[in-house]
């Protein structure tokens, strides 16, 4: 695909459909305004892309007509031709209908839908203002932030007297038992529902009896963010003793800062926490409360940064970083930052091009790029550890290992392609809960896979479902059936090998079948024997992805510490949730109040890492990794000797 000068700036406002909790809001189809100086292939490309996506499209050829059209319809997406402007560089000129379609759909599923969610919130608050039920909204610290007119009428207050006040500042009825509030708090803080009778006091001083049901709602990070309370007010008619019910809904909401602020605060918190190293490598997506579900439909990318059409089109700041991607000391976190949390697409394009993946699969670079976008979109950016940055890190390590002479000489091109694809997809849709948690919770997925390699099976199944869903990103569409079956089996085998319950089995097979014969013969004989026995190639591929998956202790110290911080939040959150739900605590050492980083890292390295990387180093020759491992082990040992439980010495944290 020939690329020209950067040309088109995209602006998005809002969209036509969004789901807020169980409610779906729908309106007219999305409207698009194309503003071009003249009709050409690019404008036609967007016109037909809108037609394919089912959008309503208007075209304006002058500034006056553009303004008139916008004021008349207020389109949700506006495409402005800025090919001669140095100020806009959001889209690479490409008249392909598919390229234009992909860009428009990305915008719809990203910023446009976010804007509509905000619009939906306005609609919801309007509904609260006009509903008959009394509604009160407070922060998680019980500071009142909203009351609706029905609440004002019921309780006799005006909102100006309530907003900004803590609930404890308001007068309480003396008809409640002394321990009632303590009883309520004991229930709801544990994530349990409370029901009972409660007396409230109006502004006039009258006490009113209410039947109350308070249900905690768990939000992002596994923390209780809301309490929803449904109250029924008893008013007895003395003539016929009928009971009339008035419903009083109280919603306690934790208003959170912006996403960007929350991201930085969480990172600051990571560096001051006590943490554990990863021992299992699986997870579970939490959507709300006690519900656990997994993605069944393709997600599209949600970021501003445009994806290049070819590897030669990446922005200079990204290209400069990628120049160093063949080095083991490559900083994946810098790539994460400059790509706006989309490192997998950019690193994938570079690595796959280096290993000739498109040529092997006989697919275009555009198809490969679209596939990388789909896979990355189905990693959860909200995860601190198991996100697309981890996938990119494992892909980087796999590519590094494939470049080693003995590894390269032992594997075929198909093995290399399978390894790179397996690394890319190995944790797709992984939201941060372990297989053990999933089985203990009795989830549908655990039932589906018989409590065996639940998430690893899900990662592979979903990856192939996504890949074959549409020819636009089906990287396997042009290879023959036999080659596809061989490649598919190799990918599945490698991803399943990352399940840690068979860790020692895989390592022992590698040592006995690869290392020992290698020590008994020449290097040429070893390579010949491996290539003549596909089972030996399988053992190498398993060992390679296993080492790539848990290579954090072999990275430079600063990267090692960062990864340790990221895994901690996921495991701490799981322990917290297990305690709240009364589930077995499968990793008791991951208690955020008592965990020691150095001890856990030392144990992890001693138990899992040392023997495995000694064996892998004996085969692949990795002196740089082994030196980092020794340095990192010394760091943790020093902290442990000083009785320090954190990532660093307190003096280092203050610097």
């Amino acid at each position: 695909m020939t690329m020209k000068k950067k040309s088109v700036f995209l602006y998005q406002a809002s969209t036509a459909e969004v789901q807020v909790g169980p409610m779906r809001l729908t309106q007219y189809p999305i409207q698009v305004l194309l503003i071009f100086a003249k009709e050409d292939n690019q404008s036609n490309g967007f016109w037909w892309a809108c037609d394919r996506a089912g959008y309503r499209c208007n075209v304006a050829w002058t500034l006056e007509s553009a303004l008139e059209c916008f004021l008349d319809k207020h389109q949700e997406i506006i495409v402005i031709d800025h090919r001669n402007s140095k100020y806009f560089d959001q889209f690479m000129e490409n008249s392909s209908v598919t390229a234009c379609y992909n860009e428009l759909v990305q915008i719809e599923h990203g910023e446009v839908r976010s804007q509509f969610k905000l619009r939906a919130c306005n609609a919801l608050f309007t509904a609260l203002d006009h509903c008959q039920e009394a509604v009160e909204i407070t922060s998680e610290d019980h500071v009142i932030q909203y009351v609706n007119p029905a609440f004002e009428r019921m309780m006799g207050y005006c909102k100006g007297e309530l907003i900004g006040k803590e609930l404890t500042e308001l007068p309480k009825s003396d008809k409640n038992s002394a321990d009632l509030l303590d009883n309520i708090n004991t229930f709801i803080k544990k994530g349990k529902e409370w029901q009972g009778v409660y007396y409230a006091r109006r502004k006039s001083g009258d006490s009113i009896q209410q039947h109350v049901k308070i249900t905690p709602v768990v939000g992002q990070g596994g923390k209780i963010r809301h309490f929803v309370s449904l109250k029924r007010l008893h008013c007895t008619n003395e003539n016929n003793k009928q009971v009339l019910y008035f419903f009083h809904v109280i919603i306690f909401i934790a208003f959170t800062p912006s996403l960007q602020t929350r991201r930085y605060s969480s990172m600051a918190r990571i560096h001051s926490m006590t943490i554990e190293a990863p021992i299992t490598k699986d997870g579970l997506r939490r959507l709300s409360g006690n519900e656990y579900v997994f993605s069944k439909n393709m997600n599209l990318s949600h970021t501003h940064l445009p994806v290049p059409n070819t590897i030669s089109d990446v922005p200079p700041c990204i290209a400069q970083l990628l120049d160093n991607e063949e080095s083991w000391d490559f900083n994946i976190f810098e790539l994460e930052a400059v790509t706006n949390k989309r490192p997998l697409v950019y690193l994938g394009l570079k690595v796959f091009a280096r290993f000739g993946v498109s040529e092997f699969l006989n697919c275009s670079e555009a198809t490969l790029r679209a596939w990388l976008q789909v896979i990355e979109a189905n990693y959860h950016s909200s995860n601190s550890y198991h996100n697309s940055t981890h996938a990119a890190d494992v892909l980087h390590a796999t590519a590094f290992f494939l470049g080693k002479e003995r590894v390269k000489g032992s594997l075929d091109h198909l093995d290399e392609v399978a390894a790179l694809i397996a690394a890319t997809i190995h944790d797709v849709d992984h939201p941060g809960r372990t297989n053990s948690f999933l089985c203990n919770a009795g989830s549908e997925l655990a039932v589906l896979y018989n409590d065996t390699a639940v998430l690893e099976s899900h990662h592979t199944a979903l990856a192939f479902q996504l890949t074959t869903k549409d020819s636009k990103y089906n990287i396997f569409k042009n290879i023959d059936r036999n080659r596809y079956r061989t490649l598919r089996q190799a990918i599945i085998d490698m991803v399943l090998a990352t399940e840690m319950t068979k860790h020692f089995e895989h390592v022992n097979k590698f040592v006995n079948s690869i290392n020992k014969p290698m020590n008994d013969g020449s290097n040429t004989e070893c390579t010949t024997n491996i290539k003549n026995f596909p089972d030996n190639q399988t053992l190498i591929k398993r060992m390679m992805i296993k080492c790539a998956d848990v290579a954090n202790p072999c990275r430079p110290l600063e990267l090692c510490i960062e990864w340790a911080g990221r895994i901690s939040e996921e495991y701490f959150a799981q322990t917290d949730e297990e305690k709240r739900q009364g589930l077995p605590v499968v990793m008791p050492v991951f208690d955020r109040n008592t965990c020691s980083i150095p001890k856990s890292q030392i144990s992890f390295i001693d138990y899992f890492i040392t023997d495995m990387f000694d064996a892998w180093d004996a085969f692949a020759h990795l002196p740089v990794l082994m030196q980092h491992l020794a340095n990192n082990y010394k760091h943790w040992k020093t902290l442990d000797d000083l009785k320090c439980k954190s990532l660093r010495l307190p003096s280092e944290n203050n610097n």
Side-chain angles (χ1 to χ4, degrees):
M1 189 177 294
T2 303
M3 297 307 303
K4 302 177 184 177
K5 184 177 181 285
K6 294 181 179 181
S7 61
V8 179
F9 170 68
L10 293 172
Y11 166 77
Q12 54 272 11
S14 60
T15 190
E17 183 180 279
V18 69
Q19 186 160 335
V20 182
M23 180 179 66
R24 183 177 293 276
L25 302 175
T26 307
Q27 64 172 41
Y28 52 83
I30 290 175
Q31 299 201 48
V32 178
L33 174 60
L34 307 180
I35 304 175
F36 279 76
K38 62 180 180 180
E39 181 178 358
D40 59 11
N41 289 337
Q42 184 69 78
S43 64
N44 289 334
F46 274 111
W47 173 272
W48 290 113
C50 291
D51 181 70
R52 177 188 293 184
Y55 302 156
R56 293 180 179 175
C57 185
N58 295 95
V59 183
W61 308 110
T62 66
L63 293 177
E64 292 77 10
S65 61
L67 181 59
E68 180 181 358
C69 188
F70 176 72
L71 292 176
D72 179 49
K73 298 184 180 296
H74 288 274
Q75 288 83 359
E76 283 77 36
I77 300 177
I78 302 173
V79 183
I80 305 175
D81 184 0
H82 275 289
R83 272 172 281 197
N84 297 319
S85 172
K86 64 180 180 180
Y87 300 106
F88 298 96
D89 59 351
Q90 300 295 311
F91 184 75
M92 307 300 297
E93 181 175 343
N94 189 330
S95 58
S96 164
V97 175
T98 298
C100 297
Y101 172 84
N102 287 342
E103 191 72 20
L104 290 172
V105 173
Q106 270 194 81
I107 294 171
E108 177 197 344
H109 286 257
E111 298 304 307
V112 174
R113 292 201 172 190
S114 297
Q115 290 291 331
F116 190 66
K117 286 181 180 180
L118 293 176
R119 211 164 73 199
C121 288
N122 289 333
L124 291 174
F125 275 100
T126 300
L128 291 175
D129 280 340
H130 291 85
C131 71
Q132 297 301 310
E133 288 73 37
V135 179
E136 177 186 55
I137 300 179
T138 80
S139 69
E140 58 186 337
D141 297 323
H142 308 300
V143 176
I144 299 173
Q145 298 185 339
Y146 170 85
V147 294
N148 72 340
F151 180 90
E152 294 177 276
R153 290 192 297 270
M154 175 180 286
M155 300 304 296
Y157 290 97
C158 66
K159 63 178 61 180
E161 298 173 291
L162 297 174
I163 293 176
K165 289 189 176 181
E166 295 186 19
L167 292 179
T168 55
E169 298 179 41
L170 301 179
K172 302 293 187 296
S173 173
D174 54 9
K175 293 186 177 183
N176 294 311
S177 61
D179 61 348
L180 180 60
L181 288 178
D182 290 338
N183 184 36
I184 294 174
N185 285 329
T186 298
F187 269 77
I188 63 179
K189 285 183 178 179
K190 290 181 179 180
K192 297 181 180 179
E193 187 176 84
W194 183 87
Q195 295 189 59
V197 176
Y198 180 81
Y199 286 89
R201 185 181 293 276
R202 290 191 173 105
K203 183 180 179 182
S204 63
D206 299 334
S207 292
I208 53 175
Q209 187 182 27
Q210 299 169 327
H211 288 275
V212 183
K213 177 180 178 181
I214 304 177
T215 305
V217 180
V218 177
Q220 186 175 13
K223 184 178 180 181
I224 295 175
R225 298 290 189 178
H226 309 71
F227 296 104
V228 178
S229 176
L230 176 64
K231 297 190 175 186
R232 297 183 297 181
L233 175 62
H234 273 255
C235 295
T236 305
N237 186 315
E238 294 296 332
N239 293 326
N240 56 22
K241 301 299 183 183
Q242 277 189 318
V243 178
L244 307 177
Y245 295 97
F246 297 88
F247 293 95
H248 175 198
V249 182
I250 300 182
I251 308 172
F252 296 81
I253 294 183
F255 286 90
T256 56
S258 69
L259 178 62
Q260 186 175 18
T261 303
R262 190 162 62 245
R263 182 183 306 144
Y264 287 125
S265 63
S266 65
M267 288 307 301
R269 194 165 62 248
I270 282 172
H271 284 287
S272 61
M273 281 182 176
T274 56
I275 61 164
E276 294 284 350
I279 292 180
T280 60
K281 60 129 322 278
D282 41 38
L284 177 66
R285 181 180 186 181
R286 182 179 60 256
L287 289 189
S288 62
N290 298 330
E291 285 185 271
Y292 289 85
V293 300
F294 284 76
S295 299
K296 294 181 181 177
N297 300 316
M298 179 194 71
N299 293 325
L300 293 174
S301 182
H302 291 183
T303 59
H304 296 286
L305 194 66
V307 174
N309 283 299
T310 68
I311 189 60
S312 60
D313 295 321
V314 301
C317 60
I318 299 176
Q320 185 175 358
L321 280 177
L322 290 174
D323 285 342
N324 192 43
E325 59 89 10
E326 294 187 43
S327 167
W328 179 254
D329 293 350
F330 176 73
N331 193 326
I332 196 69
F333 300 116
E334 291 182 356
L335 184 63
E336 176 192 65
V338 299
T339 61
N340 202 3
K341 289 193 172 184
R342 287 168 63 184
L344 188 57
V345 170
Y346 288 88
L347 183 67
L349 282 172
K350 182 73 180 292
V351 170
F352 281 37
R354 177 154 62 94
F355 283 87
V357 174
S358 291
E359 292 80 0
F360 178 86
L361 296 174
N362 191 28
C363 74
S364 66
E365 192 174 358
T367 301
L368 184 61
R369 180 188 69 252
W371 178 79
L372 286 167
Q373 287 179 263
V374 169
I375 296 299
E376 181 152 45
N378 280 274
Y379 277 91
H380 301 171
S381 61
S382 58
N383 289 348
S384 59
Y385 183 88
H386 288 106
N387 49 40
S388 69
T389 304
H390 168 65
D393 185 64
V394 175
L395 173 62
H396 173 266
T398 301
F400 181 83
F401 295 151
L402 287 172
K404 292 299 170 181
E405 183 178 353
R406 184 170 281 162
V407 177
K408 189 174 183 178
S410 302
L411 301 178
D412 301 321
H413 198 189
L414 184 146
D415 297 312
E416 295 177 344
V417 174
L420 296 173
I421 294 174
T424 303
I425 70 166
H426 83 283
D427 271 334
V428 67
D429 198 36
H430 183 315
R433 293 292 183 270
T434 66
N435 276 334
S436 297
F437 180 97
L438 193 56
C439 296
N440 290 336
S443 76
E444 293 182 7
L445 209 61
V447 174
L448 176 64
Y449 291 111
N450 300 313
D451 292 351
T452 304
V454 175
L455 287 165
E456 291 72 24
S457 300
H458 173 64
H459 300 324
T460 50
L462 178 64
F464 278 98
Q465 288 170 0
L466 291 170
T467 303
T468 57
K469 185 183 180 75
D470 193 309
S471 63
K472 293 194 298 293
Y473 36 81
N474 185 357
I475 57 176
F476 305 128
K477 61 186 176 183
N478 293 329
I479 60 175
D480 65 70
R481 183 182 298 272
N482 290 334
R483 175 170 282 196
Y484 172 70
R485 289 176 64 87
T486 303
L487 186 66
R488 171 174 158 80
Q489 188 55 49
I491 294 168
I492 293 172
D493 184 86
M494 291 185 72
V495 176
L496 293 180
T498 64
E499 203 257 323
M500 292 295 282
T501 61
K502 295 185 177 180
H503 170 81
F504 297 104
E505 176 185 338
H506 291 316
V507 174
N508 289 335
K509 283 184 178 180
F510 180 83
V511 171
N512 292 326
S513 299
I514 305 297
N515 282 3
K516 287 184 178 179
M518 181 180 67
N519 293 333
D520 295 337
S522 67
N523 183 57
T524 303
E525 291 174 342
C526 173
T527 302
T528 302
N529 288 336
I530 291 172
K531 284 211 166 187
N532 289 338
F533 294 95
D535 286 349
N536 286 343
Q537 291 177 310
T538 297
L539 294 179
I540 292 173
K541 287 182 290 184
R542 289 175 181 171
M543 189 72 162
M544 177 168 57
I545 196 168
K546 281 179 58 60
C547 289
D549 191 28
V550 292
N552 303 336
C554 300
R555 293 289 188 181
L557 178 60
E558 290 304 309
L559 303 185
C560 172
I561 290 174
E562 178 68 18
W563 283 123
R566 291 183 174 213
I567 192 63
S568 69
E569 192 55 38
E570 287 187 17
Y571 285 178
F572 287 160
Q574 174 169 315
T575 299
D576 292 343
E577 188 159 356
E578 287 166 335
K579 292 178 180 179
R580 281 197 306 272
Q581 295 192 23
L583 295 173
V585 177
V586 297
M587 297 181 290
V589 293
F590 286 95
D591 187 313
R592 66 178 72 248
N593 299 314
T594 60
C595 179
S596 166
I597 299 171
K599 287 186 184 299
S600 64
Q601 289 286 340
I602 290 169
S603 298
F604 178 59
I605 293 172
D606 285 341
Y607 195 67
F608 289 104
I609 298 299
T610 301
D611 289 344
M612 181 169 69
F613 272 91
D614 278 344
W616 186 233
D617 173 54
F619 176 77
H621 185 57
L622 305 163
V624 174
L625 278 71
M626 303 311 289
Q627 185 59 55
H628 283 315
L629 179 59
N631 294 341
N632 295 340
Y633 190 87
K634 182 179 179 181
H635 170 79
W636 303 125
K637 194 73 171 64
T638 300
L639 291 178
D640 187 42
D641 290 342
L642 295 172
K643 309 299 182 183
C644 178
K645 292 186 176 183
S646 59
L647 285 165
R648 312 169 189 269
L649 290 172
S651 58
E652 294 178 301
N653 286 327
N654 294 330
N655 291 336

